[in-house]
Amino acid sequence: MIPVGVVGAVQNGPHPDMKVQIIDDTADTGGFFILQWWPGSGGLGPDGMFDNWVESPAALEEFWQEAGWQVEWPQKANGAT
């Protein structure tokens, strides 16, 4: 399962020191935000974040599979949803 609400370090991303975080926004938008940032990223969010949005847990899983990221999650995130 993909941990929600915690920051993970992408080990195989296109940018050094890339971070990712999934935000459950089902109460407001009905979906999930996938936040991504790295040193020097130029997104409009805090810390230069970029975001993607998906409409369901199934779409999140599909996005994740397509991204192919290997993410190191904090120990407390193991098994989190």
Side-chain angles (χ1 to χ4, degrees):
M1 297 188 137
I2 303 166
V4 174
V6 295
V7 175
V10 179
Q11 304 298 301
N12 64 333
H15 308 283
D17 299 320
M18 184 175 172
K19 306 289 188 228
V20 64
Q21 183 178 23
I22 309 303
I23 302 296
D24 182 344
D25 198 49
T26 52
D28 290 325
T29 66
F32 296 85
F33 284 102
I34 302 133
L35 307 178
Q36 309 158 49
W37 70 98
W38 54 89
S41 57
L44 298 176
D47 295 326
M49 287 181 184
F50 291 94
D51 65 67
N52 293 88
W53 180 85
V54 294
E55 67 277 359
S56 67
L60 177 60
E61 290 288 340
E62 183 178 334
F63 179 98
W64 204 257
Q65 291 299 317
E66 288 179 15
W69 293 329
Q70 295 173 5
V71 179
E72 183 177 312
W73 299 104
Q75 285 288 21
K76 67 180 181 177
N78 290 342
T81 58

